[in-house]
Amino acid sequence: MGLSHHRIGILFSADGPYGLVGRAMLNGALLAVDEVNARGDCVLEPVIRDPQGALAGYVAGAERLLDAGIRHVVGCYTSSSRKEIIPIFEKRDALLWYPSHYEGFETSANVVYTGAAPNQHIVPLVRHLLARGGRTAFCVGSNYIWAWENNRILRETLAIAGGDVAGERYLAVGETAFDQVIAAILAAKPDFVFNTLIGISAYRFFRDFRSACAARGIDQARTMPVASCSLAEPELEAIGPEAVDGHLSSSVYFTSIDTPRNRAFMAAYAARFPEGPTPSADAESSYIAVHLLARALARAGTEEAATVRRAACADEFEAPQGPVRLDETTLHACLTPRIGLSTAAARFTIVAQAEAPVAPDPYLVRSDPRVVPVSRRPHLKVVP
């Protein structure tokens, strides 16, 4: 196949309430573009749009990219933004390459999912916590589908194991007033806190919760650890040294993975983006998405969605996290689940990991728990 040239869309929010995460994802995508173009069998021309965290910005950005004739877009961090633009891609038969961990219960022939599905992050996290005696959770999250659905999965999984959710609180994206939430957590005394806050809300919560516990003589990390499926290295740095250590995170990628492939990725990223932010799981997933897209374009010889989709599903990529391939039925990726414990150096010590990549199960029909009945009425709160 000869040299081919393709314009691809890049749709990340490098500004706004979760701009730190968006900048890391943008960096991961651009690093992959550089590597693809240096390889020489395919040339990618990235066209970048920044929605700045606004749902209307994602719609406008996606439409502008597709109006310009672009058929493949790598982008979105939040599930609300992804769901907002999927109909646009389905209507125009273009492909959205979605590189973020998410809550699952979705497939679309016009979306390729390179981030973790629920059986690859939340289910392993719940198993890890249950094995260590964690039976009672308190859930605090940003008020949108990512938190709602992850908390539902957690609640139903805990219920099967005889556990419970002592309380749930949701706050608007970008909210940073946590006094009432923290008071409720301290009153409930859960075994652990399940965090689905994002961006600046999450950073502030970690600091305030640690401070409130310290004021009461509570060793927060040991007594009420915070567990997340989204906490990554750039966010640890944003939390700051006073509250950075002792948090659990379930992810398919940590910068501390000790392999030659990951060390090479880390070195290349640092050389290309010395100003940071530090790579994250979502940055690595963005890197994977661009490489899989470029390899599929080169093999397909066309930008037509169905042909590129088939070519991508026939491939396997050696990523920084390990081998990655797509499941042709769901278009989700086979990934390697890991559990990390944050350190004072704003990094993660990997305390558990799967022996091999795990097939995606976005609807949790093959994973335990296969059936997730709720044995008792959940303690839900209406948010006006």
Side-chain angles (χ1 to χ4, degrees):
M1 190 69 65
L3 182 67
S4 57
H5 181 282
H6 306 276
R7 288 191 301 156
I8 65 169
I10 305 288
L11 189 65
F12 291 124
S13 290
D15 296 298
Y18 51 87
L20 179 65
V21 177
R23 289 195 294 278
M25 297 175 81
L26 175 62
N27 289 354
L30 293 179
L31 176 60
V33 168
D34 289 352
E35 293 179 353
V36 167
N37 291 347
R39 195 172 64 215
D41 60 342
C42 173
V43 175
L44 299 180
E45 178 186 342
V47 180
I48 301 171
R49 296 287 179 266
D50 182 351
Q52 300 185 332
L55 291 182
Y58 284 96
V59 172
E63 288 183 335
R64 287 179 64 189
L65 290 167
L66 299 186
D67 285 346
I70 289 172
R71 304 293 303 277
H72 299 271
V73 176
V74 180
C76 295
Y77 170 64
T78 63
S79 290
S80 53
S81 62
R82 183 192 71 256
K83 287 189 177 293
E84 194 77 8
I85 66 173
I86 284 178
I88 300 172
F89 284 79
E90 291 177 337
K91 180 179 180 180
R92 305 194 187 198
D93 197 24
L95 277 184
L96 172 64
W97 296 71
Y98 178 61
S100 180
H101 58 279
Y102 87 119
E103 68 285 344
F105 293 87
E106 177 187 298
T107 58
S108 168
N110 295 93
V111 182
V112 176
Y113 305 79
T114 61
N119 70 305
Q120 295 163 329
H121 57 10
I122 184 170
V123 171
L125 179 62
V126 176
R127 289 175 180 156
H128 183 84
L129 290 161
L130 285 170
R132 284 149 185 81
R135 290 288 186 275
T136 305
F138 196 108
C139 301
V140 55
S142 294
N143 191 27
Y144 74 106
I145 188 171
W146 157 252
W148 305 335
E149 282 296 288
N150 272 287
N151 290 347
R152 178 185 63 80
I153 295 168
L154 176 86
R155 184 170 59 246
E156 295 178 347
T157 307
L158 279 178
I160 288 175
D164 199 3
V165 172
E168 291 185 47
R169 296 291 188 274
Y170 297 95
L171 298 96
V173 174
E175 176 63 63
T176 56
F178 288 104
D179 288 350
Q180 289 185 332
V181 172
I182 290 172
I185 295 172
L186 293 174
K189 300 179 179 176
D191 294 329
F192 64 94
V193 175
F194 185 54
N195 161 57
T196 45
L197 295 162
I198 65 166
I200 59 176
S201 300
Y203 318 149
R204 179 64 177 266
F205 171 76
F206 277 101
R207 289 193 294 268
D208 288 0
F209 186 46
R210 177 67 59 88
S211 177
C213 286
R216 292 161 176 79
I218 299 171
D219 184 342
Q220 178 265 307
R222 292 179 179 274
T223 306
M224 281 182 276
V226 180
S228 310
C229 293
S230 55
L231 188 63
E233 290 84 348
E235 298 181 300
L236 293 178
E237 294 168 354
I239 290 169
E242 69 272 25
V244 70
D245 62 309
H247 310 305
L248 283 169
S249 185
S250 182
S251 180
V252 295
Y253 175 79
F254 293 110
T255 59
S256 53
I257 293 173
D258 189 17
T259 62
R261 179 68 181 91
N262 187 46
R263 288 194 292 273
F265 168 72
M266 292 288 294
Y269 185 102
R272 176 70 167 81
F273 305 105
E275 74 284 3
T278 299
S280 65
D282 298 312
E284 194 242 10
S285 186
S286 303
Y287 175 86
I288 292 171
V290 171
H291 269 292
L292 284 176
L293 168 58
R295 290 154 66 106
L297 287 169
R299 295 173 65 170
T302 174
E303 295 183 357
E304 193 266 332
T307 306
V308 172
R309 199 163 47 224
R310 284 194 296 273
C313 290
D315 196 10
E316 179 171 307
F317 177 63
E318 187 63 29
Q321 69 172 268
V324 171
R325 63 178 176 80
L326 295 176
D327 171 60
E328 62 181 355
T329 301
T330 65
L331 297 181
H332 287 61
C334 300
L335 305 168
T336 304
R338 296 177 170 90
I339 305 291
L341 181 67
S342 67
T343 71
R347 295 294 181 267
F348 288 97
T349 297
I350 298 172
V351 296
Q353 70 177 41
E355 295 180 354
V358 172
D361 184 16
Y363 291 94
L364 293 178
V365 294
R366 297 188 302 272
S367 306
D368 292 329
R370 187 169 302 171
V371 179
V372 285
V374 178
S375 59
R376 59 182 67 85
R377 191 177 181 84
H379 302 296
L380 298 179
K381 180 180 180 181
V382 175
V383 179

